[in-house]
């Protein structure tokens, strides 16, 4: 029998309201909020806006993630500034302590995504992949522009290596443009609308405005239409589920409660990857 694949449709739509996070920062949390605790392998997606003196001071991670538009420094001396349009894909693995502070006056905006690591990768050495805006693969056709942060679109592949198969595509559709993006059938996927409004899944459905997250059903891909009068900007994120138990305590993400208790102990006493956490403070 031939299984006909179906198009992916919107199965859940939520507005990500602003909430405070870090030290005086504001985030719109979509994945990771109570109604959307996780969409395996994704644990959190924050649309952040942070102006000095607010920020995300020294804090640990034992998981994986990326973001844009902030100055970061970690306990191993790795530091840098991610400007608008740049990407930092950091694999925290066994442990990172860092600060993420706005890189200049005025509101610095961006997205932070937390992708879970499979148990075999949770204790890997931390690793950074940093791409300047000009290094990020792009493609454009018939009013559709895409920045390929991870995965592939329009025949162009990202150079970012991900521990598990992942796509992170940043689309801008001109008014009147439409497109279809193939998504591997077994992946979980969602859309986060950043600006403008768009029709997702079926052409008859109502337009979805900014700051909404759309969970998609399984199927072979997603169709999108921009029937509006301004550009539609959204990210399409998808990944192979890890199918392991998730026990999360803030930025610590493990498989069991015991491993979380171990992570907290390691962080408190500077062990198993948190050795430099003992005396380090960001400048
Ligand atoms: N309380 C708490 C606990 C653990 C964290 F990792 C964080 C944190 O650093 C962030 C959470 N959303 C974010 N969006 C963007 C940026 Cl640059 C950082 C964050 C945090 F605030
Ligand atoms: Fe962080």
């Amino acid at each position: 029998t031939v299984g006909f694949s179906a198009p992916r449709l919107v199965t859940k739509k939520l507005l990500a309201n602003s909430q405070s996070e870090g030290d005086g920062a504001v985030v719109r949390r979509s994945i990771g909020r109570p109604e959307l605790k996780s969409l395996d392998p994704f644990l959190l997606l924050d649309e952040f806006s942070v102006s000095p003196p607010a920020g995300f001071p020294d804090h640990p991670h034992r998981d994986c993630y990326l973001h844009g538009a902030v100055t970061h420094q970690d306990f191993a001396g790795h530091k840098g500034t991610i400007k608008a349009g740049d990407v930092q894909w950091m694999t925290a693995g066994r442990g990172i302590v860092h600060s993420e502070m706005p890189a200049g006056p005025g509101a610095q905006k961006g997205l932070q995504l937390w992708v879970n690591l499979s148990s075999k990768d949770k204790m890997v050495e931390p690793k950074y992949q940093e791409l300047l805006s000009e290094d990020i693969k792009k493609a454009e056709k018939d009013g559709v522009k895409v920045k390929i942060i991870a995965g592939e679109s329009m025949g162009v592949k990202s150079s970012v290596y991900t521990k598990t198969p992942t796509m992170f595509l940043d689309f801008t559709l001109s008014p009147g443009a439409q497109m279809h993006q193939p998504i591997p059938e077994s992946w979980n996927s969602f859309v986060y609308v950043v600006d403008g409004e768009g029709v997702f899944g079926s052409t008859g459905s109502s337009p979805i405005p900014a700051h909404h997250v759309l969970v998609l059903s399984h199927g072979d891909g997603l169709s999108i239409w921009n029937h509006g009068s301004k550009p539609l900007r959204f990210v399409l994120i998808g990944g192979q589920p890890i199918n392991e138990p998730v026990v999360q305590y803030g930025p610590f993400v493990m498989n069991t409660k015991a491993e979380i208790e171990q992570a907290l102990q390691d962080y408190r006493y500077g062990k198993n990857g948190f050795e430099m956490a003992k005396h380090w403070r960001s400048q």
Side-chain angles (χ1 to χ4, degrees), residues 21-23 27 29 44 46 48 56-57 59-61 65 67-68 70 98 100 111-112 114 250-251:
E21 184 53 284
D23 181 5
V27 302
R29 182 156 297 162
L44 176 139
D46 275 356
F48 64 85
F56 303 92
H59 60 273
H61 284 277
Y65 88 115
H67 55 58
V70 293
H98 70 173
E100 296 154 290
L111 293 175
Q112 175 156 123
W114 291 8

